[in-house]
Amino acid sequence: TKIKHNHCFKMKAVFAFACVLLVVGATALTNISSNDKADIKDLLAGDKTSDSQGVFDYTVSELFEQITVPAGYPTEVHYVETEDGYVLVVYRIPGKKNEPPSSYRNSHRPPVFLQHGLLDSSDAFICNGENSIAFILAEAGYDVWLGNIRGNKYSLYGPEGTTYKESSFWNFTWNEMAQYDLPAMIKYVTGFTNYNKVIYAGHSQGTVIMWAGLADPTTTEYLNSKIALFIAMGPAVYVHDTSSELLKLASDIDLATIMGDFGISEFLLPAPWGYLPSTLVSELCHFTEIFCDGGLYLITSEDPKVTNQKQLPIYMAHFPAGTSVRNMQMWSQQVANQVFDKYNYGSSSENEAHY
């Protein structure tokens, strides 16, 4: 039993290291062309090849508004409370670079909502300099909103005053993100902007929660009435055919039990909120590209040549942004069981009690 436990712990450590490298999958999506600004689908599906242009001069430890404001973009912070009591941070870029408030206020620009993927944050859409999706959309005349789901580094407050420091805060998966977070953020944006519908662009898990929300009888009618266009970047539904050997291996590990043995409920939450030294990871990437490129290949089977190497230390400084152990266990269930389904609590009686 001791040997098995030590083996599982080592596998957990390998998997945790590998998850750090997922940032490239999110941030590579921001290397897009703005040639045709008239069509938002073209904006979001443009050239993904990388180059050395558009690298902003900012340090790796900065947060969202510490990047957008010096870059010249008006930035607002909004707080959205979900039906079950979680407080989510939603950022807004309402105008173009260096545009005066008198110009963009009351301009009735169509709202676009960007939702990040697994272990990520709204930073994913602003970390590629002038080629970042959020900036391209702002320049194209859209009112850009960026969500942060429960449990990442920005959204760390829960029901009845609970915080990320309490284990009860982390009792969620993307089930709850789809059921509570997504409708709450969409409702807030439509109410604030007086637009009846929004354009929604999600990446990875950001598409999962929309698929799940549209499939759930409790939320499908509302979301169908509020989403003008759903753009799925790196869409994920059935993930059992993932090419990542490390993710396949992780699906065979009882992740919650392993980390629970160490009293850990959160997964890869960066410092100062958690234990992951993102700045150190970034510096290692800057010191030696093989540290990140090798791990990137193992986790995604993607050629490192398609990644913007100059931005890689920045990407790694902002990813991972944290989630719950339970959410990671749910992803493992999807891989192992070849399903797109709600979280499995382990027995029929437990599932009946929750559902």
Side-chain angles (χ1 to χ4, degrees), residues 111 172 290:
F172 63 80
I290 194 172

Side-chain angles (χ1 to χ4, degrees), residues 97-143:
K97 184 174 183 178
N98 297 323
E99 183 179 5
S102 59
S103 175
Y104 62 76
R105 286 176 181 168
N106 301 316
S107 59
H108 303 291
R109 303 178 186 190
V112 177
F113 193 93
L114 301 177
Q115 184 56 54
H116 62 78
L118 175 65
L119 288 167
D120 217 336
S121 74
S122 54
D123 295 358
F125 301 111
I126 61 166
C127 278
N128 213 48
E130 61 190 14
N131 293 323
S132 300
I133 286 180
F135 298 152
I136 292 173
L137 291 173
E139 293 297 326
Y142 291 95
D143 184 1

Side-chain angles (χ1 to χ4, degrees), residues 59-73:
T59 60
V60 297
S61 60
E62 290 175 322
L63 300 178
F64 188 93
E65 61 267 40
Q66 293 173 309
I67 297 173
T68 56
V69 174
Y73 286 92

